[in-house]
Amino acid sequence: MDDFMYFCAMISVENLTVEFSAKALFDKVCYVINKRDRIALVGKNGAGKSTMLKIIAGLQEPTSGRVAIPKDVTIGYLPQHMIHNDDTTVRDEAAKAFNRILQLQTRLEELNTQLCERTDYESDAYMALIDEIAHLNEQLEMQGGGNFDAEVEKTLMGLGFVRSDFTRPTNEFSGGWRMRIELAKILLQRPDVLLLDEPTNHLDIESIQWLEQFMAGYPGAVVLVSHDRKFLDTVTKRTIEISLGKIYDYKASYTTYVELRKERREQQMRAYQNQQKEIADTEAFIERFRYQATKAIQVQSRIKQLAKIERIEIDEEDTSALRLKFPPAPHSGSYPIIMEGVSKSYGNHVVFSGVDLTLNRGDKVAFVGKNGEGKSTLVKCIMNEITDFTGKLQLGHQVKIGYFAQNQASLLDETRTVFETIDYVAVGDIRTKIRDILGAFMFGGEASDKKVGVLSGGERSRLAMIRLLLEPVNLLILDEPTNHLDMRSKDVLKQAIKEFDGTVIVVSHDREFLDGLVDKVYEFGGGRVREHLGGIYDFLSNKKMESLKELESQKSKVEGQKSNRSLSLSNLCARRAQSQTCLNYAEPQPKIFKGPISEQESLSGAFSLSVNNTSTSSATAKELSYEERKEQQRKIKRAERLVELCEVAIAETEKAIADVEATLASGDTSQALFDKYAALKAQLEKEMTEWEEATEAYENLKEK
């Protein structure tokens, strides 16, 4: 029965009540989280979504009620904000996810030592020791044993990190990237229940798509809070709405839930109206014939009937909404921005080059791409915050820019109230609607009288957004404007931008927000900025086709090279020696080999590894002679050694790159150091290609 309950209801929320200042955030809420559930927790900001996750994670106590969690169920929780560690590298910090495995391995070693020392083979204690060892081995096997390095690298790279980041200290990264490290740790732990509070806020589109694929195969339950509709629709299959202290549970994705919620309210309204008509008719009959003796029995019957009616209640709904409209954009030139051959570099590192971009008045465009590819850098060039770029960048006649960036929130006057902050910049008729505007952006009621100094970072960002929206501008540049807005506020902002008659640049990873909003996409990547006509989903569709074409062309190129490409220990060693001499650092002797590679093995013409090796006989192992089988084994062994040597070379080069990056981070920006860094990068790329060739040759030899 216990096993059945475990598989059906991993977590049970029972009569949960949370009160703040005598106001109920939750009122006797009940629901269960089942194994492999994919739950979207939705509701407006302040409804209690984050509080619910904290209570389930055991970080906050409810006023009453409880959350029942079996003791063997593990929970992973990613909050919106956290304190990060600064004393480790990216790889080491992510590897902390496997502390449980390391603890199991340590305990197993202790028990094995005890087992070797004991001689009471028939005792109950000895048998109990063997049982514990068997149990620990099973747990270790289930959790992947000690082979977790590949999983760490795969997860970090999926979330946008590159290999050169792995050895960098975590304190070199921004808050968004450090949040990715925490997300990687939680994903690597594979808990039974994942609680994720706004996991996509710091991810680019490609990382979000990777996370969606990861979630599709995740074996545990997932409960997440997100304002990204597309992400919710892709990941979740159940939606729990929190509204005015109650919950409404739908076995449906977010989009379907919105439709079902509308249908439910319509049905409730029809049933309510019919019941109200019935009640009104009954009360009218009672009132009409109350004092007629001949109708006394009927009147009493109707009174009893009225008392038995179970009154239909309509779900309360927060109807606060606003149709925000920008002030008319001041007239500007026909081309607000013209760029010709714009390039920006830091030393030898090219952020982007040869950017040709012309925006027409009224254009609405998106800047997309992985983090660190230059989106914000180009925006800063437009804002004249960066001036040492090359090429031509010209703003049109009478262009007035409204710019929203995350750090703008820190520039607000902390001595003013929320209302005063907006009232200070509002002009015209919009001043009469300030309370409504603040309410739509989660500053309704008493919140409008709060001092800016006591607001959280998210609240300050929203306030800065409101202030920006009220200023008369004709070019809006918005950098991740939706990170702290709920669904309703995002809809308000999106509609306002669509109706805005000026020009708009949006830097965003929110596909649903960009859908129907922009008519052109600029993709940043690889030092280039590519223009794509059409909306965001046209761009994503074309990107997949382009990737497939690129993959096919690379495949054809590789196959064309395979027939005349070979690797040997001798030429690899020669290339390594030459490159190491150029870069002036010594290569240590690899310690993983059982013995040194002899000169004969290194220079043997017979050991030339080719991917399309056709010299081996097609006969089966049974048909080969003893000498042929022996020679085959020697080739396999040499191929294996070559793979190991490639791996040693890659590890050494990666370490050298990390050392150079550390020197650069300390402030040394000499040209010689940049040249060395570029040479190391090129060498690493060559070594990775050699490793792939050697691995493929080794696998082919094993198959034969």
Side-chain angles (χ1 to χ4, degrees):
M1 181 64 181
D2 290 341
D3 291 340
F4 176 78
M5 287 298 295
Y6 173 78
F7 281 100
C8 289
M10 297 175 68
I11 295 178
S12 176
V13 177
E14 303 170 1
N15 294 315
L16 195 69
T17 298
V18 175
E19 295 179 350
F20 290 117
S21 303
K23 180 182 178 182
L25 189 63
F26 304 123
D27 186 16
K28 296 182 179 179
V29 168
C30 299
Y31 65 96
V32 298
I33 300 173
N34 303 310
K35 187 177 178 66
R36 289 194 63 83
D37 261 349
R38 298 289 188 270
I39 301 174
L41 208 57
V42 302
K44 73 165 191 171
N45 284 64
K49 303 185 295 295
S50 295
T51 301
M52 179 67 77
L53 293 184
K54 289 176 184 177
I55 291 173
I56 296 174
L59 302 177
Q60 184 172 328
E61 291 294 325
T63 305
S64 63
R66 70 180 192 128
V67 178
I69 305 174
K71 64 179 182 179
D72 54 348
V73 170
T74 56
I75 294 177
Y77 170 56
L78 179 76
Q80 285 191 44
H81 308 284
M82 62 177 62
I83 299 174
H84 303 279
N85 294 321
D86 288 332
D87 57 347
T88 58
T89 64
V90 171
R91 187 203 300 269
D92 291 342
E93 186 64 26
K96 288 181 180 180
F98 297 97
N99 282 346
R100 172 62 178 161
I101 290 179
L102 298 176
Q103 292 171 1
L104 288 175
Q105 289 175 335
T106 302
R107 177 59 178 164
L108 198 57
E109 290 173 4
E110 293 174 356
L111 294 179
N112 280 323
T113 301
Q114 293 180 29
L115 197 65
C116 293
E117 295 172 351
R118 299 183 64 147
T119 57
D120 53 336
Y121 308 119
E122 303 298 329
S123 68
D124 291 341
Y126 190 86
M127 298 307 296
L129 196 61
I130 291 176
D131 288 342
E132 186 176 355
I133 290 173
H135 178 65
L136 289 176
N137 274 318
E138 288 178 4
Q139 283 188 298
L140 202 58
E141 184 69 25
M142 289 174 62
Q143 297 187 38
N147 301 320
F148 50 77
D149 284 343
E151 281 297 311
V152 170
E153 293 190 4
K154 179 181 176 182
T155 303
L156 287 173
M157 293 178 76
L159 290 172
F161 292 92
V162 295
R163 285 185 177 276
S164 58
D165 292 332
F166 295 169
T167 53
R168 291 174 58 190
T170 57
N171 59 12
E172 292 184 4
F173 291 86
S174 66
W177 282 99
R178 293 163 83 181
M179 187 67 73
R180 293 191 190 204
I181 299 173
E182 295 301 320
L183 177 57
K185 286 167 60 177
I186 292 171
L187 298 181
L188 287 166
Q189 288 169 1
R190 300 290 198 278
D192 297 315
V193 181
L194 271 175
L195 307 176
L196 306 178
D197 196 350
E198 294 288 358
T200 63
N201 267 2
H202 303 288
L203 301 182
D204 51 50
I205 289 178
E206 292 186 19
S207 297
I208 292 174
Q209 291 175 325
W210 177 88
L211 184 59
E212 289 173 348
Q213 294 172 358
F214 180 92
M215 291 296 181
Y218 191 73
V222 178
V223 182
L224 65 89
V225 175
S226 178
H227 299 317
D228 187 326
R229 284 186 178 88
K230 175 63 177 173
F231 182 71
L232 290 179
D233 277 337
T234 303
V235 174
T236 64
K237 305 298 180 187
R238 178 180 169 195
T239 304
I240 295 179
E241 178 191 14
I242 302 177
S243 178
L244 302 173
K246 299 178 181 179
I247 68 161
Y248 302 93
D249 197 343
Y250 296 82
K251 304 297 188 290
S253 64
Y254 180 81
T255 297
T256 307
Y257 138 76
V258 172
E259 297 171 355
L260 292 175
R261 179 182 62 177
K262 182 179 178 181
E263 291 176 3
R264 186 195 78 212
R265 286 191 57 80
E266 289 175 351
Q267 292 171 357
Q268 284 183 333
M269 183 60 72
R270 286 195 295 270
Y272 174 80
Q273 290 171 346
N274 291 336
Q275 188 182 70
Q276 289 299 305
K277 184 177 184 304
E278 179 185 347
I279 291 172
D281 290 344
T282 303
E283 288 176 341
F285 180 89
I286 293 171
E287 189 63 29
R288 181 179 178 185
F289 299 109
R290 180 185 296 274
Y291 303 107
Q292 293 187 20
T294 56
K295 298 286 187 177
I297 296 176
Q298 290 173 283
V299 168
Q300 288 301 316
S301 175
R302 296 293 177 91
I303 292 174
K304 292 179 181 179
Q305 178 184 342
L306 193 62
K308 291 179 180 179
I309 291 178
E310 186 173 343
R311 303 296 175 107
I312 295 174
E313 294 183 358
I314 300 177
D315 296 334
E316 287 186 88
E317 186 175 32
D318 187 350
T319 57
S320 59
L322 175 70
R323 185 173 178 272
L324 182 62
K325 187 176 180 64
F326 284 103
H331 186 74
S332 69
S334 299
Y335 305 104
I337 297 178
I338 298 175
M339 298 185 194
E340 295 177 3
V342 174
S343 302
K344 172 60 184 161
S345 301
Y346 293 103
N348 278 347
H349 174 60
V350 178
V351 182
F352 48 74
S353 63
V355 178
D356 295 321
L357 182 155
T358 300
L359 293 188
N360 297 306
R361 185 175 58 231
D363 275 352
K364 293 178 174 61
V365 305
F367 284 1
V368 303
K370 288 184 176 180
N371 292 341
E373 293 289 352
K375 302 186 297 294
S376 295
T377 300
L378 187 58
V379 166
K380 289 177 181 178
C381 291
I382 297 172
M383 296 298 300
N384 205 34
E385 293 179 10
I386 292 177
T387 58
D388 59 342
F389 58 86
T390 59
K392 174 185 175 183
L393 194 163
Q394 180 180 343
L395 296 182
H397 179 61
Q398 291 186 335
V399 168
K400 183 175 182 182
I401 301 176
Y403 176 44
F404 175 84
Q406 295 297 330
N407 67 339
Q408 237 178 333
S410 63
L411 304 178
L412 297 173
D413 187 342
E414 296 189 353
T415 63
R416 289 179 177 154
T417 66
V418 170
F419 181 87
E420 289 169 347
T421 300
I422 302 305
D423 186 52
Y424 184 76
V425 297
V427 294
D429 294 340
I430 200 73
R431 297 189 66 185
T432 63
K433 301 179 181 178
I434 290 178
R435 296 283 182 187
D436 293 333
I437 295 169
L438 291 174
F441 282 84
M442 294 82 71
F443 290 113
E446 297 176 357
S448 65
D449 297 322
K450 285 183 179 179
K451 292 285 187 181
V452 171
V454 303
L455 298 180
S456 68
E459 289 172 324
R460 291 189 185 204
S461 294
R462 294 197 300 272
L463 189 59
M465 173 64 69
I466 300 171
R467 192 177 72 163
L468 171 67
L469 297 181
L470 300 179
E471 296 177 357
V473 298
N474 47 35
L475 173 58
L476 271 176
I477 302 178
L478 309 175
D479 192 352
E480 298 292 358
T482 64
N483 274 359
H484 297 286
L485 301 182
D486 61 17
M487 302 286 192
R488 192 168 298 168
S489 298
K490 285 203 309 186
D491 287 341
V492 170
L493 176 60
K494 182 175 179 178
Q495 188 61 33
I497 295 174
K498 289 173 73 173
E499 296 176 358
F500 177 56
D501 55 356
T503 308
V504 182
I505 297 173
V506 184
V507 182
S508 179
H509 60 259
D510 191 327
R511 296 158 293 178
E512 191 67 29
F513 182 76
L514 294 176
D515 184 32
L517 179 62
V518 300
D519 44 35
K520 194 184 298 182
V521 175
Y522 288 94
E523 177 195 7
F524 288 68
R528 297 176 58 195
V529 179
R530 301 173 180 84
E531 180 184 78
H532 298 264
L533 299 178
I536 186 66
Y537 285 108
D538 294 326
F539 159 72
L540 291 174
S541 177
N542 291 335
K543 273 292 291 179
K544 291 177 183 177
M545 293 180 66
E546 288 173 9
S547 298
L548 288 174
K549 290 176 183 176
E550 184 179 343
L551 184 63
E552 288 299 320
S553 64
Q554 288 177 348
K555 182 178 178 183
S556 301
K557 182 179 179 182
V558 169
E559 288 176 348
Q561 293 172 343
K562 282 179 180 177
S563 60
N564 53 18
R565 176 189 293 160
S566 65
L567 275 177
S568 69
L569 282 172
S570 58
N571 59 39
L572 177 62
C573 290
R575 283 206 297 265
R576 282 288 293 161
Q578 183 180 7
S579 62
Q580 297 304 322
T581 301
C582 293
L583 295 171
N584 195 27
Y585 69 90
E587 178 183 5
Q589 291 295 324
K591 299 180 180 179
I592 55 177
F593 304 138
K594 294 182 179 178
I597 300 172
S598 69
E599 184 178 357
Q600 182 180 1
E601 287 176 336
S602 176
L603 301 176
S604 171
F607 184 43
S608 180
L609 298 181
S610 174
V611 176
N612 283 347
N613 190 341
T614 58
S615 63
T616 305
S617 171
S618 60
T620 62
K622 291 183 179 180
E623 295 171 337
L624 293 173
S625 67
Y626 172 76
E627 289 299 328
E628 288 172 330
R629 291 199 302 273
K630 190 173 180 181
E631 178 62 23
Q632 183 75 357
Q633 289 300 316
R634 279 199 293 267
K635 287 184 177 181
I636 292 174
K637 186 64 177 176
R638 289 168 183 165
E640 184 178 12
R641 288 182 178 182
L642 179 58
V643 172
E644 291 172 343
L645 184 59
C646 288
E647 291 172 347
V648 170
I650 289 169
E652 288 297 317
T653 305
E654 287 181 337
K655 182 179 183 303
I657 289 173
D659 291 341
V660 173
E661 287 176 340
T663 306
L664 287 169
S666 67
D668 184 352
T669 57
S670 63
Q671 187 60 45
L673 196 60
F674 279 116
D675 291 343
K676 183 176 181 180
Y677 184 72
L680 282 169
K681 282 286 192 178
Q683 177 179 315
L684 180 62
E685 185 176 350
K686 181 190 294 184
E687 288 170 347
M688 291 296 294
T689 302
E690 291 170 347
W691 174 80
E692 291 171 359
E693 294 167 3
T695 302
E696 188 169 357
Y698 172 58
E699 294 296 333
N700 286 345
L701 284 172
K702 285 204 302 182
E703 290 176 2
K704 294 175 181 179

